[in-house]
Amino acid sequence: MKKTTTVLAALFLSCCGIQAQGGKSASMTFQRPRLVVGIVIDQMRWDYLYRYQQRYTEGGFKRLLTEGYSCENTRLPYIPSVTAIGHTCIYTGSVPTIHGIAGNNFYKDGKKVYCTDDPSVRPVGTTAKSAQMSPCKLWVTTIGDEMKLATNGRSRVVGVSLKDRASILPAGQNPDGAFWFDDQTGNFVTSSYYMDKLPEWVVNFNKEKHAAKYLSSRWQTLYPEDSYTESTADATDYEDGIKPGEKALLPLDLPALYKKYGYETIRRTPFGNSLTFDMARAAIKGEHLGEDNETDLLAVSCSSTDYIGHQVGTNAIETEDTYLRLDRDLASFLNYLDKNVGKGTYLLFLTADHGAMNNARFLQDRRIPAGSWNGDEAADSLNKRLSEAFATDAKLVREVMNYQVFFDTDKIRELHLDYSSIKQCAVEALLSDSRILYACDMEKTAVSPLPDDVKRRTINGYCHGRSGDVQIVLKSGFYAHGMKGTDHGTWSPYDTHIPLLFMGWNISHGSTTRETEMTDIAATVAALLHVQAPNGCVGKPIF
């Protein structure tokens, strides 16, 4: 009888066990990792994982692919595909129509605003007004906010990036700190939304003058330039210089550029990513992240890839060299996490906020339809058309931005004009442009003749009162950018297909090509940690 009882008890415990990611049975008493690390590579196209792989080290991107789990078909479920929305979506699992961040810039109460501007706070660590920032325009919680709620505030949450928005929006409403780079001082700074003064560890980090050190040497390629076979020749017509009048040519004399343009120079070099990882290490040590049983969160965003991509495009030697250097920085950072947090005790994901199109002239030279389109010119043309149609000298279009038309609704009401007729006139005028594939009244998107894929992204990206009221969809290969460098913002795969890899705690090696979405990241982390998903999350756990 005793033997039977023992067997039944064992079977009961086995049935009650939960299957951890990795095939190991775990007890009903769940565990959590010490630290969650989110790494966002700004403007990283999915194919960069493979285009440069031959010269990646074993410890960087290759390690993520060989040890981690790769979601090979991850897409953005909204437009416009821009930095602020991407970072917000990753950490909230939500979309603009719910989370409120409608672009890097958008309209609020009839005025154009920046996504994290907050005049009610003061700069901390600098006197620059550019540090008057907070998440005041964000309507929902992030995964970090939910982690803190789940632990009665014991989890610690920190955001780090060169860009303010790429630190602030991922860190969420109630973090322990969000820090970004200040061009005026060359330091990492914050605002009074978070604290009254910089923590001692940030002060000490700033004293080491990391940015000045990186700018004291020339940017030379890691390998001989003629070995960069994944890139076009250096200094082509596809590239812009680091500043107007500067040549797009390596090696780059960083000391001279630093003397001429200041600390801002580092943003447009691969060493901006190195600086970001330096700050991330300092944050782990200074904030004691991953040192106890309460799971902490570190949100890291590498911005230099975006600055460089806009400048030289997706096929430049500068871009290839930047990713080869980023791979080494990533390997070093993963090694740091192994030694200081503990291999297998941290959960890491790496993704991007958006991709980028190949340079339009580059495509044209290969007989692929492509070109440039100008939003300011479109706004002028629309104002002229509407002026004629509605017999008024008033400018009824405020701006064309984010591939959307923003109307002066106050003026339209004042003149007692029919808004629906104005929008329809604008749609008809836009469709006469051969570069525009579709244009629709946002209120009629659901019944507009748009492909389902585009329609869903348009609906998800529309935030009433903050987005424009007419959506513009350009033909693939066209963008609102000049003929040098590149841009993003559209629905096309080059802008919305991003890398997504998980590695570390409870993650088995593997991959999937089934469609996953950016909104699934926060949902997946929440499920793994057994905490509530962010309160605007529309994503689904991947595993």
Side-chain angles (χ1 to χ4, degrees), residues 101 114-122 130-138 164-165 168-169 172-173 178 180 190-194:
I101 303 300
Y114 178 63
C115 58
T116 53
D117 266 343
D118 187 352
S120 73
V121 302
R122 61 178 177 81
S130 59
Q132 290 182 275
M133 301 284 172
S134 83
C136 63
K137 298 178 183 68
L138 177 62
D164 46 60
R165 59 186 180 272
I168 291 168
L169 297 170
Q173 309 282 6
W180 55 92
T190 189
S191 80
S192 59
Y193 177 89
Y194 305 98

Side-chain angles (χ1 to χ4, degrees), residues 412-463:
I412 291 169
R413 280 193 296 269
E414 179 186 320
L415 296 173
H416 304 289
L417 299 174
D418 183 71
Y419 192 26
S420 294
S421 297
I422 288 171
K423 289 187 287 184
Q424 183 58 36
C425 182
V427 167
E428 292 171 1
L430 288 165
L431 289 174
S432 67
D433 187 330
S434 63
R435 297 165 294 182
I436 294 177
L437 191 62
Y438 300 105
C440 68
D441 181 342
M442 289 289 204
E443 291 184 345
K444 300 177 181 178
T445 304
V447 294
S448 296
L450 299 172
D452 289 343
D453 204 35
V454 179
K455 183 180 295 185
R456 178 169 174 262
R457 284 175 168 78
T458 300
I459 292 171
N460 285 341
Y462 176 64
C463 181

